[in-house]
Every structure is written in structure tokens, then in C-alpha cells.
Amino acid sequence: MGKGKDGKKESKKLEDLELPGFMSMFNENMVCTALLMILFFGAILLLLGRDYLVEAGFLGENASFLFYILTTCLNFAVYLAILQLGVRTFVTELTNSFQGIANKLLPGSVPGVDCAVSYGFGSPNAVPIGFLAGAVGQFLAIGALILLKSPVLVIAGFVPVFFDNATIAVYANNKGGLKAAIILPFISGLCQVFGSAVIASWVGMAAYGGYLGMWDWAVVWPVFTVLMKYLSYVGLAVVVVALLAIPQMQYRKDKEGYFLMTEDYEAYKELKAKKG
């Protein structure tokens, strides 16, 4: 842990972490991801059992259950590596292709991309760490619902547990270091389960079998739902104004870097370094 220019201590980030001895293999993103996937998905597949997988058509009758688990988990690590390696090229090409629209039809506009784009611009290990921390948070929250005999039981979904929490870890690591990359996705996992259980029960969606448990649906939209329900059109106006105000506040906070971040990320990093 070092000190910044203002004399404050800077939290150690994932990319600064060097594990000793045999644990140094976890410094390699592919190895770390592969082992985490084997532990996580391997446990799920073992719980499902060979008979279920054969009956569902995922596994052949004469195929090896062990090798099916290994190949399924390792394939995920490979797909994630492809995603991380190709994302910079994707963003560059998309941004260049969008210039015609940005310059002619919608001056000042930038292309909208999925959260997975952020994986290529942060520590590679932030992705599996965020996934693991978020999964732990979700599983503990699900256990709490069971112990409390909640009338609504939430089952962890792969999209919220992975994409939400991995993305949070990338940003958390960049802003707050290793501790933030672990704690914030963990809190997110708790919020995803408890928030989904509360709102799905309150609006009656639990009776229809499911709710989209992304972080914004479990935390932000429940608040919006309360405002719109009890304040009617006034609440709707408050929600619309809030959503319009957020990007304006972000722009005013960093006018120089707001658009530069998408137009030229390397130049944006140089600008932030000069300001820092």
C-alpha cells in the first residue's frame, strides 16, 4: 500500500498483488478463472447428478461425467479469455463506425455497449474475484431466506451473479483497490437476493415464477416502484428527472474526459494521470 500525490494511502489493487509459492499460479487470469469455474459449476453439476444431465440431453449415456464437468468449466474460462482479449478491438471498431452518426445525426453522442466491455480495461483477475464474491453473497442471502422461512425463495441466476458483480469488481478495484473489489460485489450479491425477494413479493411477480435479479432491478427499480405507486404521476416525473440528471452530473464532474473516455481511452488515461 503506497501513498498518492496528496499524501493519502492508496489501496493495493489486484494487479499489484503477488501471491507467494505455489499460489502464484492464481496471478494468471486463465488459471484463476478455470479453477473458480471448476469449484463453482463443478459443485452445481455434481448436485444435478449424472442421471439428470443424461435425461436432459446434456451428457451422452456412455460419456464420462468427470470429463464433462472439466470441459464445461474450462470452456467457460476460454470463452471469458476470448471476451477479454477481443473487447478492445470491438470497442475501437464500434466507436469508429459510430463516428458518422455522432458527427452528422446526433452530435456529441457515444455508442452504448454492454457491461462486459469493461473487462478489457481493468485487472483481468477482477472478473473472477467479483464473480466469486458476488456468488458468496448471494448464497448466504439465499441461506438466510431459507432459515427465516421466507415465502419467496430466490434462486441465484448466472447473469446477475456473474455480469453484475464482475463489472462492479472491475470498477471497484480501479477506484478502491483489492478490498473494494471483494466487499462491494459481496454486498451486491446480498442486495440482489434480498431486494429481488422483497420487490417480487410486493408487486406480486413471485406468483408467476420469477423476477429479473440484476442489481438495478433489485435495488434501484424497487425505489422507483415505490415512488411511482404512492406519488402516481409525480413519482413518475421524479424518476424521469433523476434518470436525465445522472448523465448531466457525470458530464459536469469531468467535462474534458466524459467523451474522451470512449473516443480515445489511452488519451483519457493520460489526462487522468495529469490531473491525479
Side-chain angles (χ1 to χ4, degrees), residues 109-137:
S109 62
V110 296
V113 292
D114 190 78
C115 62
V117 165
S118 64
Y119 299 167
F121 297 90
S123 169
N125 279 342
V127 175
I129 291 297
F131 166 75
L132 180 62
V136 171

Side-chain angles (χ1 to χ4, degrees), residues 136-169:
V136 171
Q138 283 208 8
F139 293 154
L140 287 177
I142 293 170
L145 291 180
I146 295 173
L147 290 175
L148 295 173
K149 297 182 180 179
S150 169
V152 176
L153 181 61
V154 175
I155 304 299
F158 177 76
V159 173
V161 79
F162 180 79
F163 284 101
D164 274 19
N165 299 322
T167 304
I168 289 172

Side-chain angles (χ1 to χ4, degrees), residues 5-51:
K5 293 183 179 180
D6 57 359
K8 295 181 179 180
K9 289 185 177 180
E10 293 181 339
S11 300
K12 179 178 288 188
K13 297 184 178 180
L14 281 168
E15 50 266 39
D16 301 325
L17 187 63
E18 291 294 334
L19 298 173
F22 81 95
M23 293 187 67
S24 62
M25 65 180 180
F26 290 102
N27 291 323
E28 172 56 43
N29 176 48
M30 281 286 288
V31 175
C32 181
T33 304
L35 291 177
L36 285 179
M37 291 305 106
I38 290 173
L39 289 174
F40 183 78
F41 285 113
I44 293 175
L45 292 173
L46 285 172
L47 288 174
L48 291 175
R50 176 187 174 85
D51 293 339

